[in-house]
Amino acid sequence: MLPTYNEAENIAEILKRVRAAVPHAGVLVVDDSSPDGTADIARAMATEVGDVEILSRPRKSGLGSAYRDGFKWGRQREFDVLVEMDSDFSHDPADIPRLLQGVEDGADLVIGSRYVPGGEIPHWPWHRRGLSKLGNRYSPAMLRLTLRDLTAGYRTYTGEMIDRIDLDAVRAEGYGFQVEMTYFVAQAGGRIVEVPIKFVDRVRGTSKMSSTIVVEAMALVTWWGIRDRVLRRSRPG
């Protein structure tokens, strides 16, 4: 699944690389009516690379809702494994087979992680690196999870695990969506593993990251952590 908004500069090449990495996979582009014609390019590329579908949404509605719609689309068509990734080359399509191998080895969720041994985030400025590391230390501590990269957006889920999650109850966007999905998988008893990836900044196009997304994620994590501690103390016995 490739969520897009104004990715006309990237979508053709990313689809070629995805097809080279996984020749027999179905590909879904979830496009929020990009005014730059991203969806039209994706449709044209479908003829060249094969088995590409476009889910067009009427307006820009956020990353989390794009993935929720993509998960529902995939499960309605009985895909057993669902991979989510960025469309801007931050995630290398060549890593998809390694994420799929994690599912083959028994994981319910495989996270492409920047912070396990072998993971890399080259050329990041110190302030962005610091903010990311802070978020990925704070979130596991608040949610009592032994993971290093909860905010990572390069992931593979089993269809069975997606079915066990109430997607309509997952309300966050941006980084918060990734953390919330991880939390839901853990609450459902799913097995989560992390595999190292090299994450790079986009080369072309404009970043969708904003301070609002960061604030939303930290506020939600804080609320979930406090809520669970209060509920745990209030349970009898």
Side-chain angles (χ1 to χ4, degrees), residues 107-144:
D108 300 292
L109 165 59
V110 182
I111 299 175
S113 175
R114 298 160 290 184
Y115 299 122
V116 295
E120 298 180 65
I121 43 173
H123 311 305
W124 265 21
W126 67 266
H127 61 278
R128 186 174 179 188
R129 186 185 299 265
L131 181 62
S132 178
K133 286 191 174 182
L134 176 63
N136 278 295
R137 289 176 180 170
Y138 180 74
S139 297
M142 286 298 294
L143 302 179
R144 299 182 178 181

Side-chain angles (χ1 to χ4, degrees), residues 161-225:
M161 178 50 64
I162 292 297
D163 290 344
R164 293 169 63 184
I165 295 173
D166 180 2
L167 290 174
D168 292 327
V170 183
R171 307 304 297 272
E173 300 292 341
Y175 285 160
F177 172 78
Q178 309 297 0
V179 176
E180 191 173 10
M181 284 293 292
T182 308
Y183 184 49
F184 273 51
V185 171
Q187 293 288 89
R191 181 174 176 236
I192 306 172
V193 301
E194 296 179 273
V195 298
I197 63 163
K198 180 179 180 180
F199 180 93
V200 297
D201 274 331
R202 65 163 57 238
V203 176
R204 300 186 296 266
T206 304
S207 173
K208 314 301 191 298
M209 180 51 58
S210 70
S211 59
T212 301
I213 290 174
V214 176
V215 170
E216 177 208 43
M218 292 301 97
L220 287 170
V221 167
T222 302
W223 161 241
W224 296 328

Side-chain angles (χ1 to χ4, degrees), residues 64-78:
S65 66
Y67 278 133
R68 288 192 293 272
D69 287 349
F71 286 141
K72 292 175 182 178
W73 187 97
R75 290 305 291 148
Q76 287 169 359
R77 288 154 182 81
E78 300 183 343

Side-chain angles (χ1 to χ4, degrees), residues 50-71:
D51 204 5
V52 175
E53 300 283 348
I54 292 83
L55 176 58
S56 294
R57 307 197 309 163
R59 65 187 65 85
K60 188 177 181 182
S61 302
L63 183 67
S65 66
Y67 278 133
R68 288 192 293 272
D69 287 349
F71 286 141

